[in-house]
Amino acid sequence: MKLTANRYLLIVLVLALVLSLAACRDASDGPHKNPPATDPVIEHPGTDERPPLVYPGDTDTPADTDPVDTLPFDTTPAGPDETTPPPVEIPTLTSKSGTYHDYGNGIIRVDNHAFEEYGYVDSAAAYYAGLVNSVAEALYGDTQVYCMALPTAIGIVLPDDIAAIFPRFEDQGEAIHKLYAKITDAVTTVNCYDNLMPHRDEYLYFRTDFHWNGPAAYYAYEAFCREKGIRPYTLEERTEVQFDGFLGALYNNSCDQDPILAEEPDVVLAYRPYSAAATMKYTDWSGNVRDWNIIYDVSTWAPSSRYSTFAGGDSPFAEFTNPQVTDGSVCIVVKESYGNALLPYLVDHYSKIYEIDYRYWDGNLVEFAREQGADDLIFANNMSMIRSQYLIAMLDEIIG
């Protein structure tokens, strides 16, 4: 059959259209094997580079950040059977007497429980936060710094009816929130307060002493584990040791040995490390190094000394070794006496822990952390310390 000129031209046009559609389909099926030379090339920093410091108030996102990699939450839609967890219930505490006794020296008594007063000092919080931030910035990319602001008894277990009438009561939850607002993103903050409040009807703090008991330190440790992303060993997995007859510093030094407090002495609840092979040695004020038990038998000690069961008491420096943790991990804990009760829990998660009491140690904290190759550094300080310019200045001396 002969093709006329018109039919020939029609066939050529149809073929051209088919080829053009096929080319468009190929282009839409996937990316080019060889992208055009004009396409932008995004370079990501290597693993040896430190990510940028971020301070509160910073809103700019680095230009080379991939948003898909930085979403802080799971974007998978919830399934039909998934429900929001119920809100945490905070127990209500009510005093027996409905009133309090004021000793006039910063200590009050409610029923048979003595409390050290607390007041938030913004300038002191700023001073403390600045020191923590400076250490985190100096060690950034090498050592992760944690800040654990440890609540005191009046912030957790003061009965609610007394908190409502005591004119100098201040909410430590709000105080910690103000403190943490001054901490940079180089520091991981640990919310111990929120983890303690659901347990406030338990035996968390001593009635005759300003320290906390073993269970309270456990709940703070539990909050730390949550921030670090590790599983805490439970109290049920540990061995409990009790030392009764404890009459602490509030009874002996601040309350004139009030007989109401002496009617029911405290019981120290201590829990041995899960790792049975963990050991410690401490350096005393004279520079002598002594082997010691992480939970020491203080049953024959003076009633005022029973809190010293925890990690050798207030020594300038202590070293903890756990041969059951074989990853070579190193942690430094900077503390005063509240931190003593944390060490029997923390020791289960590191090959080596160095405990520094800033009040008595005279080294340089940043240099020491670098020398030891510390993975983590924890500031574990109670809220009474964080309001004291005097004590914070002592911390300042080891930071320089």
Side-chain angles (χ1 to χ4, degrees):
M1 179 180 63
K2 291 183 179 182
L3 295 175
T4 66
N6 289 338
R7 286 185 177 179
Y8 180 80
L9 180 59
L10 179 61
I11 291 173
V12 170
L13 290 174
V14 170
L15 288 174
L17 179 61
V18 170
L19 291 174
S20 176
L21 291 173
C24 292
R25 184 172 60 251
D26 291 340
S28 64
D29 284 344
H32 293 286
K33 293 183 179 178
N34 298 301
T38 56
D39 280 0
V41 177
I42 300 176
E43 295 183 357
H44 294 272
T47 55
D48 59 338
E49 294 187 20
R50 298 182 181 183
L53 286 172
V54 181
Y55 292 82
D58 285 354
T59 56
D60 293 337
T61 301
D64 61 349
T65 300
D66 183 356
V68 175
D69 295 334
T70 58
L71 289 176
F73 49 83
D74 184 3
T75 58
T76 305
D81 296 330
E82 296 183 33
T83 58
T84 302
V88 177
E89 182 178 350
I90 306 299
T92 298
L93 302 183
T94 305
S95 68
K96 296 178 180 177
S97 63
T99 188
Y100 61 91
H101 172 73
D102 191 342
Y103 291 99
N105 56 0
I107 308 297
I108 63 172
R109 175 177 54 76
V110 179
D111 301 330
N112 65 345
H113 196 310
F115 294 89
E116 180 187 29
E117 293 182 29
Y118 169 81
Y120 175 76
V121 181
D122 191 67
S123 60
Y127 186 11
Y128 178 82
L131 295 179
V132 174
N133 291 339
S134 68
V135 173
E137 291 163 16
L139 299 175
Y140 194 73
D142 298 317
T143 302
Q144 179 59 55
V145 173
Y146 293 83
C147 181
M148 298 181 68
L150 310 178
T152 61
I154 200 167
I156 301 293
V157 299
L158 183 71
D160 297 288
D161 58 323
I162 304 302
I165 64 173
F166 183 56
R168 297 185 296 277
F169 175 77
E170 292 195 35
D171 189 318
Q172 285 193 14
E174 294 180 3
I176 292 171
H177 178 75
K178 293 176 183 177
L179 169 68
Y180 283 175
K182 304 177 190 296
I183 299 288
T184 73
D185 284 354
V187 180
T188 299
T189 56
V190 180
N191 195 333
C192 303
Y193 178 88
D194 282 356
N195 211 49
L196 282 162
M197 284 297 284
H199 304 278
R200 65 194 298 246
D201 56 350
E202 301 175 22
Y203 192 12
L204 300 183
Y205 293 85
F206 300 116
R207 294 181 295 272
T208 68
D209 193 80
F210 52 81
H211 290 106
W212 56 0
N213 211 344
Y218 173 80
Y219 294 125
Y221 149 80
E222 191 176 57
F224 168 77
C225 290
R226 183 179 301 118
E227 290 297 332
K228 186 170 172 60
I230 58 177
R231 185 187 78 84
Y233 292 97
T234 66
L235 292 179
E236 289 72 25
E237 292 176 287
R238 303 169 181 274
T239 301
E240 181 185 272
V241 184
Q242 296 188 12
F243 302 102
D244 57 14
F246 177 41
L247 291 171
L250 291 179
Y251 167 77
N252 285 288
N253 303 329
S254 303
C255 303
D256 298 323
Q257 297 188 343
D258 188 333
I260 294 178
L261 296 176
E263 289 175 359
E264 190 176 359
D266 281 299
V267 178
V268 179
L269 302 177
Y271 297 85
R272 300 189 189 280
Y274 177 82
S275 305
T279 60
M280 72 166 287
K281 54 186 177 182
Y282 74 91
T283 303
D284 65 20
W285 296 338
S286 300
N288 301 309
V289 179
R290 304 176 184 276
D291 293 324
W292 207 250
N293 293 331
I294 297 174
I295 298 295
Y296 197 83
D297 184 356
V298 294
S299 57
T300 61
W301 290 25
S304 60
S305 302
R306 303 289 163 85
Y307 184 75
S308 296
T309 183
F310 298 109
D314 288 337
S315 56
F317 181 84
E319 179 180 337
F320 299 79
T321 302
N322 188 345
Q324 294 175 257
V325 179
T326 59
D327 59 3
S329 53
V330 176
C331 179
I332 298 171
V333 179
V334 180
K335 58 86 189 182
E336 70 288 308
S337 54
Y338 258 66
N340 300 352
L342 280 172
L343 268 298
Y345 306 119
L346 294 174
V347 72
D348 286 314
H349 301 281
Y350 296 93
S351 297
K352 186 81 69 176
I353 293 182
Y354 298 102
E355 179 194 68
I356 291 173
D357 194 316
Y358 64 88
R359 299 168 298 176
Y360 314 119
W361 190 71
D362 60 1
N364 182 290
L365 180 60
V366 172
E367 290 180 1
F368 182 76
R370 288 171 176 160
E371 290 169 0
Q372 302 304 324
D375 299 283
D376 294 337
L377 190 155
I378 303 170
F379 286 93
N381 302 118
N382 72 77
M383 290 300 290
S384 186
M385 175 271 183
I386 295 172
R387 68 172 177 165
S388 168
Q389 296 277 357
Y390 172 75
L391 291 176
I392 299 169
M394 297 180 75
L395 175 62
D396 196 353
E397 290 180 4
I398 71 169
I399 294 173

